[in-house]
Amino acid sequence: MFKLPPISLYIHIPWCLKKCGYCDFYSYVSKSAIPEKKYIEHLLKDLEKDLSLINERKINTIFIGGGTPSLLKNSSIENLLKEIKKRTNISNKTEITIESNPTTLEYKRFLNYKKSGINRFSIGIQTFNSDLLKKIERTYNKEEAILAIEEISKINKNFNLDIMYGLPNQSLNDVLLDLKYAVKHNPTHISWYQLTIEPNTLFYVKKLNLPNENMIFKMLIQGDKFLKKSGYKKYEISSYSKINYECQHNLNYWNFGDYIGIGCSAHGKITQKNGDIIRTVKNKNLNDFINGKYLKYKNIILKKERPFEYFMNTFRLYKPVLKKQFQERTNIDPIYIKEKIKKAIEKGYIKDKIDFWNTTNKGKIFLNSLLKIFLD
C-alpha cells in the first residue's frame, strides 16, 4: 500500500574559502563579503514555495551543507533556523546538522551554532597527515584538525568526522593512523570513504599518484576491520556509528524518503498524495537565485525510473530491503520488477525472502553492476 514517506530539509550554502581539487559540489570561492542576509532572505522564500508541495508534513531532519556553511556568521545561522521554525512543523528533537571545516574561523563559532539549535556537527577532516592535506589542497594542518575536534567534543557529544582513503601517495599505514586518530577522539559517527576523481573537478586533469586497486582493497578491508573492532557499526557503505547515532538525515535519503532542497543547485524529492514523485533542482547561478529565480526545473520521476532510484539508495544500507517499503515509497507492486529481481538473484547479488530482499557480499562489492540491472 502506498503512503507518503518522512520528509527532510536540505539547505545549500555555496561559499568556500578555496575550491578543493576533488570537489564536485556546487560552490563559489569567497573573495569578498558574503551576501548572507540577502541569501538567507531568498532561502526562506525558496522554502515557502516548496512547502506547498509537502502536504503539511513534519520536517524530521535538517542538514545545512555546502560549500562551507560554517563560514556564515552566528547571527545568520540563528536567524535562518528561527525563521524556518516559524514556517515549518519541527520539534526540539529534530536532528539539525551543519557541515564545517577545521579552521580557526569556523570552530570558534561552534558554541553559538549549538545555541541556535544545531545538535549535530559534521567536520571535514579528510586526513590528519599534514603533507597529504597539502596534496589534496586543504587549507589547514593536522594540529588545526585536532584542535577543532577537541573544541567540538567539549560542546556537543554528537559529531561526525569525514575521513578519506585512497589519497595521492597514501600508504596503508597512513590510512590506519588516520582512523586511530579519529577513534581516539570518540566521535559518535565516522564517514569513511574513498577519494574518487570526478570528471568536472580540477584533479581530473591533474596527474595524481593514487594507490592501485590492490592497495585500495587492503585499505578498505583493514580499515573496516579496525573501525568495527573500535566499537563502530557499519550501517551503510561508507558510514559507521556508535549505537543509536546513525545520521537520521542520510538514513532518510537511503530509505527513499522525501526531502526539500533549498539554495543554489539544491535537489529535492517530494512525493504527492496521488503517488507522483516530483524531482526539483534549484538554480545554480547565485545572481539569478538572489533575484528570485529559484527553480531550475521540476519533473515527475517516471514509473520505469523509480525501481533504480529506490535501490540506488536502499542497497547501500546493511539491512534487509523490505518489499512492503518498496511498494509504499515507489507506489509500484514488486511484481513489476520480478524479472529484474530474478536476474539479480542469478548473478548472486541478492537473496529473495518472503518479506524482503538482502544484498549479498558480492552484491555490495559489485553494487554498480547490481544497480545496472534496474536501469530501464
Side-chain angles (χ1 to χ4, degrees), residues 28-290:
Y28 282 93
V29 175
S30 174
K31 293 181 179 176
S32 57
I34 295 172
E36 297 182 34
K37 188 175 179 181
K38 192 163 190 179
Y39 188 69
I40 287 171
E41 174 191 328
H42 286 281
L43 278 176
L44 294 168
K45 288 180 179 177
D46 186 15
L47 172 64
E48 287 166 1
K49 287 181 178 292
D50 279 358
L51 287 178
S52 63
L53 300 171
I54 74 168
N55 298 297
E56 298 183 347
R57 276 178 282 170
K58 176 185 171 185
I59 301 293
N60 287 298
T61 66
I62 298 172
F63 196 101
I64 308 172
T68 310
S70 52
L71 288 177
L72 296 192
K73 296 187 186 87
N74 303 323
S75 56
S76 296
I77 294 293
E78 182 180 10
N79 181 54
L80 174 63
L81 291 175
K82 183 176 73 175
E83 293 300 321
I84 287 171
K85 287 173 184 176
K86 287 180 184 177
R87 292 163 170 80
T88 60
N89 178 15
I90 63 175
S91 75
N92 291 331
K93 294 182 180 179
T94 299
E95 179 191 87
I96 306 176
T97 303
I98 191 168
E99 288 184 329
S100 61
N101 288 325
T103 60
T104 306
L105 169 68
E106 295 172 57
Y107 71 69
K108 294 279 186 188
R109 294 173 171 168
F110 289 170
L111 181 58
N112 285 310
Y113 285 162
K114 183 174 181 180
K115 289 176 182 176
S116 300
I118 288 165
N119 50 33
R120 185 175 182 274
F121 291 78
S122 182
I123 307 175
I125 300 295
Q126 316 314 350
T127 176
F128 290 94
N129 185 312
S130 293
D131 291 335
L132 290 177
L133 284 169
K134 285 180 184 176
K135 285 177 182 173
I136 60 171
E137 302 178 356
R138 301 295 278 178
T139 57
Y140 51 87
N141 58 31
K142 172 186 172 182
E143 287 71 27
E144 286 179 293
I146 290 171
L147 275 172
I149 298 170
E150 288 173 348
E151 189 70 20
I152 193 59
S153 61
K154 294 176 199 169
I155 293 166
N156 204 69
K157 180 182 178 182
N158 191 8
F159 66 96
N160 168 65
L161 299 182
D162 266 11
I163 309 289
M164 293 198 298
Y165 66 93
L167 305 180
N169 299 108
Q170 190 178 36
S171 68
L172 177 59
N173 188 57
D174 291 333
V175 169
L176 295 176
L177 204 55
D178 275 344
L179 294 179
K180 284 173 184 175
Y181 273 118
V183 165
K184 179 183 176 184
H185 291 93
N186 201 33
T188 51
H189 193 285
I190 295 175
S191 298
W192 185 60
Y193 50 91
Q194 182 186 346
L195 170 67
T196 54
I197 309 299
E198 301 294 342
N200 57 333
T201 62
L202 298 172
F203 278 5
Y204 189 72
V205 292
K206 190 173 180 180
K207 190 173 181 180
L208 299 169
N209 186 24
L210 299 174
N212 61 38
E213 286 186 8
N214 288 337
M215 179 53 67
I216 290 290
F217 188 69
K218 286 180 183 177
M219 291 173 174
L220 174 61
I221 296 301
Q222 294 199 33
D224 179 75
K225 185 178 178 181
F226 175 78
L227 285 168
K228 288 174 179 174
K229 188 179 176 182
S230 301
Y232 291 86
K233 179 185 176 184
K234 187 174 189 178
Y235 69 98
E236 185 268 341
I237 282 177
S238 58
S239 300
Y240 298 76
S241 77
K242 297 288 184 74
I243 294 171
N244 297 326
Y245 283 98
E246 297 90 349
C247 177
Q248 297 305 306
H249 186 87
N250 286 344
L251 274 176
N252 188 46
Y253 289 150
W254 296 323
N255 280 297
F256 207 54
D258 281 355
Y259 48 96
I260 298 171
I262 61 171
C264 289
S265 82
H267 289 230
K269 169 194 166 282
I270 308 171
T271 307
Q272 303 299 286
K273 283 183 177 179
N274 66 1
D276 286 346
I277 302 176
I278 295 171
R279 176 79 66 207
T280 62
V281 178
K282 301 302 170 64
N283 202 326
K284 276 188 176 184
N285 186 286
L286 178 61
N287 289 328
D288 284 347
F289 188 86
I290 58 179

Side-chain angles (χ1 to χ4, degrees), residues 256 279 301-315 326 330 332 336-337 340 367-376:
F256 207 54
R279 176 79 66 207
I301 302 175
L302 301 176
K303 181 179 180 181
K304 65 181 181 179
E305 298 169 338
R306 291 182 201 172
F308 171 76
E309 294 227 6
Y310 178 84
F311 290 127
M312 181 174 63
N313 288 283
T314 56
F315 279 159
F326 171 82
T330 64
I332 293 172
Y336 180 74
I337 55 168
K340 292 182 179 183
L367 182 59
N368 287 340
S369 299
L370 166 57
L371 292 172
K372 279 179 186 177
I373 294 172
F374 296 93
L375 278 171
D376 186 73

